Amino acid sequence: MSKRVTDKVTWVGKIDWELKKFHGDELSTMEGSSYNSYLIRDKKTVLMDTVWGPYDTEFVKRLKEEINLNEIDYIVMNHNESDHSGTLPALMREIPDTPIYCTKKGESILRGLYHQDWNYVNVKTGDELDIGDSKLIFVEASMLHWPDTMMTYMTGDNILFSNDVFGQHYASEMLYDDMDDISKLIHEAEKYYTNIINPFSTFVTKKLAEVQGMNLKLDLVAPSHGVIWRKNIGLIMDLYARWANSYQEDQITLIYDTMWQSTRKMAEAIAEGIQQASPNTTIKILSVVKNDKNDILVEVFKSKAILVGSPTINNGFSYAIAGILEMIKGLKFKNKKAASFGSYGWSGEAAKMIKEFLEESKFAIVNDGIRVNWAPDQETIEKLREYGRNFVAEIAE
């Protein structure tokens, strides 16, 4: 079902209530998502983006119910990842000569994905497409989060089609932010930022400044996933500016894996010491096996410091800890401190190896970490609490 956005703009996307994983198995999307496509009718008619390939037949059928496909004058592809461009092959079989407006790198990606010699028109920042009473102004946003990404501003209706920027993996029949639960939207926007946009925070800062410098009147910000921002445009832009600036809260997160509960007991005892020394600090204790990996990464994003613990297994750390450490490294967190801990039976390399990995990931290492042989007794529990208390003092220095 299409949804009217303005007199000229209609939402013609797909809400995916069933989506639970994205980017393969890399990202959890427990709230589903949407693939937002927009049909603009002025003197010229423009289709803004398409949807993911599994819904191509449905998308084309529903689009035909909305408009004669031959009336579409232009297709604008702000970004060409498969969840945005997957319907293009089916659509272009119907209207093969329709110009596709995209960046030069966007053309390269479309050719690489679909191997078709379509009618590509390359655009760059500042280029305009006159569609009648309104104009579409293109703004390149390379590496937010792919090299081909751009945003498109529509004059008159004052809409910024922001693509992945300001998006949320969130399924909702509500079209706008002020029609839904704002706390859920902010949570999903932060999860989206952490797991997709954070490695490119430097580009976020520059692009926000560039867009603000264009003095665009913004009545709507329409991303490619989730709801359209209408009431809280200033809020989401302010949050992006904060998130991009080496974000942290007064929070310490402990991430652990455990075989026979020794490392779990270590995490809990260290956390007790942290709480004793800093009662107002938020503390999260997260099992890397029991908790969703992407939610863990959000807590890392929010933290000023983390501690990562694993038992020593086969002269190393656990498979689950290896996975979360690799994700942490790839997300390029800044302005965060860290230490390691772990239990062991006879060799005990895990804590040292975790420390080295965190150091490679650009965390400021607070100390050499702490190890416990076998299971902690009451005396060792107190030593772990003392370690937690000292950790608070060390990260404050």
Side-chain angles (χ1 to χ4, degrees):
M1 180 181 72
S2 63
K3 300 178 183 181
R4 182 60 60 91
V5 179
T6 68
D7 289 342
K8 293 180 183 176
V9 180
T10 303
W11 180 92
V12 290
K14 170 66 180 178
I15 299 172
D16 192 344
W17 291 94
E18 297 182 351
L19 188 73
K20 301 303 175 189
K21 299 288 184 182
F22 193 75
H23 286 163
D25 193 47
E26 286 295 294
L27 178 58
S28 63
T29 51
M30 303 311 294
E31 297 290 338
S33 192
S34 65
Y35 317 109
N36 297 337
S37 176
Y38 303 94
L39 189 65
I40 303 171
R41 294 181 177 96
D42 202 323
K43 291 185 174 62
K44 297 289 186 179
T45 299
V46 181
L47 180 67
M48 183 79 62
D49 297 324
T50 69
V51 307
W52 190 29
Y55 300 106
D56 58 356
T57 301
E58 176 184 344
F59 177 79
V60 172
K61 177 177 179 294
R62 290 173 55 228
L63 196 58
K64 285 179 178 178
E65 294 171 357
E66 184 70 28
I67 191 172
N68 180 336
L69 297 185
N70 291 308
E71 294 178 10
I72 298 175
D73 296 292
Y74 312 114
I75 298 170
V76 172
M77 293 302 303
N78 283 323
H79 173 38
N80 299 284
E81 195 171 358
S82 300
D83 56 313
H84 303 258
S85 67
T87 302
L88 271 179
L91 181 62
M92 297 308 287
R93 285 194 290 270
E94 301 274 350
I95 46 173
D97 298 324
T98 305
I100 299 174
Y101 283 69
C102 60
T103 64
K104 184 176 181 180
K105 290 178 180 177
E107 176 184 345
S108 176
I109 288 171
L110 287 174
R111 288 183 180 276
L113 288 174
Y114 306 116
H115 315 290
Q116 297 294 317
D117 192 23
W118 292 322
N119 182 10
Y120 302 103
V121 179
N122 293 163
V123 294
K124 60 185 183 302
T125 295
D127 287 350
E128 297 182 358
L129 178 61
D130 193 330
I131 59 173
D133 294 330
S134 296
K135 292 181 180 179
L136 299 182
I137 302 172
F138 304 110
V139 182
E140 292 176 279
S142 181
M143 299 316 302
L144 294 181
H145 66 117
W146 273 27
D148 65 310
T149 302
M150 70 176 182
M151 298 183 280
T152 302
Y153 178 72
M154 179 181 175
T155 66
D157 283 15
N158 305 324
I159 303 173
L160 180 66
F161 297 96
S162 62
N163 197 254
D164 282 334
V165 181
F166 311 123
Q168 330 96 52
H169 281 308
Y170 184 70
S172 175
E173 289 295 341
M174 302 296 102
L175 194 58
Y176 300 107
D177 58 322
D178 54 335
M179 298 173 68
D180 212 308
D181 185 337
I182 188 62
S183 63
K184 283 187 176 181
L185 296 178
I186 295 302
H187 171 76
E188 292 301 326
E190 185 174 28
K191 181 175 179 178
Y192 193 98
Y193 188 96
T194 299
N195 286 276
I196 295 178
I197 305 294
N198 188 70
F200 315 107
S201 288
T202 301
F203 298 98
V204 171
T205 300
K206 292 178 180 178
K207 192 53 59 176
L208 283 175
E210 180 182 335
V211 170
Q212 290 167 350
M214 295 173 72
N215 295 316
L216 303 176
K217 186 177 188 304
L218 296 179
D219 291 334
L220 299 172
V221 173
S224 291
H225 300 291
V227 302
I228 296 171
W229 299 99
R230 178 170 66 179
K231 181 180 179 181
N232 296 288
I233 293 173
L235 173 61
I236 191 61
M237 287 195 164
D238 286 347
L239 285 171
Y240 258 63
R242 290 171 57 199
W243 292 341
N245 188 25
S246 302
Y247 185 71
Q248 63 170 235
E249 299 175 13
D250 184 13
Q251 176 172 321
I252 297 174
T253 298
L254 296 92
I255 304 164
Y256 74 92
D257 193 10
T258 193
M259 293 176 67
W260 302 112
Q261 307 309 311
S262 294
T263 313
R264 175 185 62 80
K265 292 175 182 177
M266 290 184 70
E268 291 173 351
I270 294 169
E272 288 173 6
I274 293 170
Q275 192 72 74
Q276 290 167 358
S278 185
N280 293 323
T281 296
T282 299
I283 299 171
K284 298 290 179 76
I285 308 173
L286 302 173
S287 161
V288 76
V289 173
K290 304 292 186 182
N291 291 277
D292 178 86
K293 62 184 184 298
N294 302 107
D295 290 338
I296 291 173
L297 293 169
V298 174
E299 300 305 330
V300 173
F301 177 63
K302 292 160 67 174
S303 296
K304 61 184 179 182
I306 64 171
L307 295 106
V308 182
S310 171
T312 295
I313 304 172
N314 298 328
N315 304 112
F317 42 73
S318 75
Y319 168 86
I321 287 294
I324 202 71
L325 284 174
E326 187 61 39
M327 296 186 84
I328 286 171
K329 183 178 182 180
L331 291 178
K332 299 179 181 177
F333 295 111
K334 295 180 180 178
N335 193 30
K336 299 187 186 300
K337 299 179 181 180
S340 60
F341 62 98
S343 59
Y344 68 100
W346 49 92
S347 60
E349 296 93 337
K352 181 175 181 291
M353 293 171 68
I354 291 170
K355 171 197 161 189
E356 291 171 349
F357 202 102
L358 289 166
E359 193 168 24
E360 290 175 7
S361 303
K362 309 303 182 186
F363 283 72
I365 303 303
V366 176
N367 54 48
D368 289 334
I370 187 168
R371 302 186 308 161
V372 168
N373 189 214
W374 300 113
D377 58 14
Q378 194 56 43
E379 181 181 351
T380 305
I381 291 291
E382 185 49 48
K383 288 181 180 177
L384 290 162
R385 290 173 181 149
E386 181 64 20
Y387 177 84
R389 292 190 288 269
N390 290 338
F391 184 81
V392 171
E394 288 175 302
I395 64 173
E397 291 177 356

